[in-house]
Amino acid sequence: MDVSIDERELSLTPPVYTIDTIRQLKTAYPDDSLIFIIGGDSLASLHRWKAYDELICQAKLWAFDRAATTPADETVATKCTTDLDEFLENDKTIYLDPTPILNISSSQIRALIGAGHPKLAAPLLDERVLAYIHEEGLYQSPKNML
């Protein structure tokens, strides 16, 4: 099994919608199964995403539960399972991964760095990732450079 990171969204002008990226990936890789990983907080608001119902049909969703969130939309909730085998065997299912993870989002990490508190974000990131963020000046205002 090959796993790769696709950087196609990096050069696009926001807003970039997930469904548009998934459509492009399905065209580029028609024989592959796509798994889109999200946090439980994103799953709770999935019904407000552009073409969320198509997204569920085009890619398998794997949701990590950060804050005991549940889907707010019944259509989304009925597609959820905690059975990994069921998820892997069936299309149009959403896997609710019960693995405990840190209750922090990438948005919170970016906010810490942007507010000039990279030391608070450091324990949450691999040191190489934090070094890259520093080298590229990501998420920072000029007055809050690392």
Side-chain angles (χ1 to χ4, degrees):
M1 169 176 22
D2 281 338
V3 176
S4 63
I5 296 173
D6 187 290
E7 298 179 343
R8 73 184 64 225
E9 289 183 348
L10 297 178
S11 62
L12 300 177
T13 303
V16 178
Y17 296 102
T18 301
I19 189 58
D20 297 329
T21 303
I22 295 296
R23 287 173 182 153
Q24 289 178 11
L25 290 169
K26 288 299 281 187
T27 299
Y29 307 101
D31 298 326
D32 293 348
S33 178
L34 302 178
I35 298 176
F36 182 62
I37 300 172
I38 61 175
D41 51 334
S42 294
L43 183 64
S45 64
L46 185 67
H47 64 287
R48 293 194 302 261
W49 290 25
K50 178 182 175 184
Y52 79 95
D53 49 344
E54 182 184 348
L55 175 63
I56 295 169
C57 292
Q58 296 295 323
K60 291 175 159 290
L61 275 65
W62 187 310
F64 284 93
D65 194 5
R66 283 196 287 256
T69 53
T70 55
D73 181 78
E74 189 172 325
T75 303
V76 174
T78 60
K79 297 184 182 305
C80 293
T81 182
T82 56
D83 183 331
L84 183 57
D85 290 332
E86 178 185 353
F87 170 75
L88 295 173
E89 292 172 10
N90 298 310
D91 288 336
K92 302 175 191 153
T93 57
I94 301 168
Y95 181 57
L96 300 177
D97 194 320
T99 305
I101 62 171
L102 286 176
N103 188 15
I104 189 157
S105 68
S106 58
S107 299
Q108 291 168 307
I109 292 170
R110 288 190 302 273
L112 285 171
I113 294 169
H117 304 293
K119 289 186 171 138
L120 295 176
L124 306 169
L125 297 169
D126 182 282
E127 63 186 39
R128 295 169 293 181
V129 172
L130 191 59
Y132 179 82
I133 290 170
H134 171 67
E135 290 165 11
E136 298 296 322
L138 303 176
Y139 318 126
Q140 306 160 57
S141 65
K143 67 178 184 154
N144 292 330
M145 299 300 278
L146 291 174

